[in-house]
Amino acid sequence: MALKVGIVGLPNVGKSTLFKVLTRKAVDINNYPFCTIEPNVGIVEVPDARLQKLSDMSQTKKIVPAVVEFVDIAGLVKGASQGEGLGNKFLANIREVDAIVQVVRLFENPNIIHVHNKVDGEHDIEIINTELILADMETIAKRKVRSIKEVRAGNKEAIAQFAVLEALESGLEKGMLANTVEVNMQDEAVKKLMIELSLLTAKPFLYVYNMSDLEATLPTHLEEKPCVRLDIKIEEELMDMSEEDKQELELVSHIDDLIRKAYSLLGLMTFFTTGVQETRAWTIHQGSTAPQAGAAIHSDFEDKFIRAEVIHWEELLEAGSWAKAREIGKLRLEGKDYIVKDGDVMIFKV
């Protein structure tokens, strides 16, 4: 399941350095606007201590973790929705990702240029979100023009969709992100519309506050947003430090917090398979049924699904082996309606 998280923000806020830390991939992090023109893409492992524990139990030859794809996108400037800077390229790149990590500069450093010559996180967020909102309003306006003929003809689906378009437009005009506007995603016509629109602000957002003092008190409106605090420069320095040096300096990386939150932000969770040959973390959407989970392994596991043997990973470790878990009655047989839980270990029967 290849889902993408786009790293966005104003120029010189730490996006490319963050990407470098996340992916251990060398990227251009020169101190000038638009050093990132084509988006860098990197695959990042999702940290999960459960994998190693299951592998140790099974004496596995190979471990395969879950992954998230991160995309480092060019810095955005005011006016991007009208094509300023690399606006059109930025908006096209961000439209292709599934979630947005917005890096916000909260550190002071006179040697690193701020595009607006002042450090103001709230202002920076407003600039980014305003440009995304303006782009979404243009998308909605075009769709309304296309829909009006069908609405006048009495097409029920078009009428339902037009009402949603107006609700979205009203929310955006008030400065709301589309993901905060209430729409009925259980309605197939509405769901179809939202997929077709692919609104930038309908994507889930996570804010990364790049700050030198991680314990600093932040304004309430910043704290209330889904966020992770990072000192991205320190994270970069930690890349090359030994574990002994980190302990001596009492430095702790928080990058894993970001990866896990990004994974969750995408609405993803993990189930496991484990054996001598391989212990693997499989990525599925939260709320997936057992057959849908099986599809992550092979389409036959969904199409020809009969049942699955299921046990929570902690129960399996307590039992010590599949055979013991089966012997003491800890394994459950689950059918097509079973909703998989994060941390389930499964064997599929087809």
Side-chain angles (χ1 to χ4, degrees):
M1 183 179 293
L3 293 178
K4 299 179 181 179
V5 178
I7 303 174
V8 306
L10 295 175
N12 294 342
V13 296
K15 299 185 313 300
S16 294
T17 305
L18 174 60
F19 180 82
K20 176 183 174 183
V21 174
L22 280 166
T23 63
R24 303 296 194 268
K25 179 178 177 180
V27 294
D28 188 350
I29 52 172
N30 291 318
N31 177 29
Y32 57 89
F34 309 126
C35 68
T36 307
I37 297 176
E38 294 301 327
N40 294 294
V41 180
I43 304 298
V44 180
E45 293 184 6
V46 179
D48 195 331
R50 299 174 295 183
L51 264 177
Q52 188 62 56
K53 292 176 181 178
L54 289 169
S55 175
D56 291 344
M57 181 203 73
S58 299
Q59 298 183 11
T60 302
K61 296 176 182 178
K62 179 183 178 183
I63 296 176
V64 182
V67 297
V68 174
E69 188 171 322
F70 281 88
V71 183
D72 179 25
I73 298 172
L76 177 146
V77 295
K78 190 172 183 178
S81 57
Q82 278 76 51
E84 290 295 325
L86 296 168
N88 292 331
K89 184 177 288 291
F90 173 94
L91 296 173
N93 289 333
I94 198 172
R95 204 172 293 281
E96 295 175 1
V97 303
D98 302 287
I100 296 170
V101 164
Q102 189 175 146
V103 183
V104 182
R105 176 176 170 176
L106 297 181
F107 67 89
E108 298 280 356
N109 187 330
N111 297 319
I112 299 179
I113 302 165
H114 190 289
V115 71
H116 294 293
N117 298 314
K118 64 175 181 177
V119 175
D120 184 338
E122 183 180 7
H123 181 249
D124 291 357
I125 290 172
E126 185 179 338
I127 288 173
I128 296 279
N129 290 355
T130 296
E131 295 305 321
L132 299 180
I133 286 169
L134 289 171
D136 281 349
M137 288 179 68
E138 184 178 349
T139 298
I140 288 172
K142 288 178 180 177
R143 182 55 185 262
K144 286 179 72 176
V145 169
R146 284 171 45 202
S147 300
I148 195 69
K149 188 175 181 180
E150 290 184 338
V151 170
R152 287 173 177 165
N155 182 298
K156 289 184 179 179
E157 180 177 278
I159 291 170
Q161 291 181 344
F162 200 83
V164 173
L165 289 171
E166 293 202 310
L168 288 166
E169 187 175 56
S170 175
L172 292 169
E173 285 174 348
K174 296 172 185 173
M176 297 169 64
L177 302 180
N179 62 24
T180 65
V181 177
E182 198 169 319
V183 297
N184 181 16
M185 289 298 285
Q186 302 305 312
D187 185 306
E188 286 301 316
V190 175
K191 188 175 180 180
K192 177 183 173 185
L193 174 67
M194 294 303 289
I195 291 171
E196 290 174 356
L197 289 173
S198 186
L199 297 177
L200 303 176
T201 65
K203 302 176 189 293
F205 278 61
L206 178 66
Y207 296 87
V208 173
Y209 298 141
N210 188 8
M211 50 199 297
S212 52
D213 180 5
L214 299 183
E215 303 300 322
T217 301
L218 295 178
T220 303
H221 55 270
L222 292 182
E223 288 280 18
E224 289 175 344
K225 297 180 184 294
C227 65
V228 176
R229 297 179 178 216
L230 290 178
D231 184 332
I232 295 175
K233 187 62 181 172
I234 290 293
E235 295 289 347
E236 182 184 27
E237 292 172 2
L238 286 171
M239 287 172 59
D240 301 318
M241 279 190 192
S242 67
E243 288 303 319
E244 292 78 10
D245 287 344
K246 291 177 189 177
Q247 290 176 13
E248 186 176 335
L249 295 171
E250 297 183 346
L251 295 174
V252 178
S253 173
H254 298 278
I255 203 72
D256 286 357
D257 296 339
L258 169 59
I259 299 170
R260 292 191 191 97
K261 283 197 176 183
Y263 189 70
S264 178
L265 184 72
L266 289 165
L268 303 177
M269 68 178 194
T270 303
F271 76 90
F272 302 100
T273 54
T274 185
V276 174
Q277 293 301 318
E278 177 183 276
T279 294
R280 181 186 288 253
W282 297 94
T283 298
I284 58 173
H285 287 287
Q286 295 166 12
S288 294
T289 62
Q292 290 169 337
I297 301 174
H298 194 283
S299 59
D300 280 354
F301 286 5
E302 180 175 23
D303 300 336
K304 301 176 182 179
F305 179 90
I306 298 174
R307 62 185 183 277
E309 284 189 307
V310 182
I311 185 171
H312 193 261
W313 72 277
E314 287 180 317
E315 289 184 307
L316 180 57
L317 290 181
E318 287 172 10
S321 69
W322 276 103
K324 186 64 175 178
R326 187 175 288 111
E327 179 187 325
I328 62 177
K330 288 292 186 179
L331 289 183
R332 309 187 312 275
L333 283 177
E334 299 289 358
K336 292 183 178 181
D337 295 332
Y338 176 67
I339 303 299
V340 179
K341 298 177 179 58
D342 184 70
D344 277 348
V345 188
M346 305 181 72
I347 295 178
F348 292 88
K349 307 292 184 180
V350 293

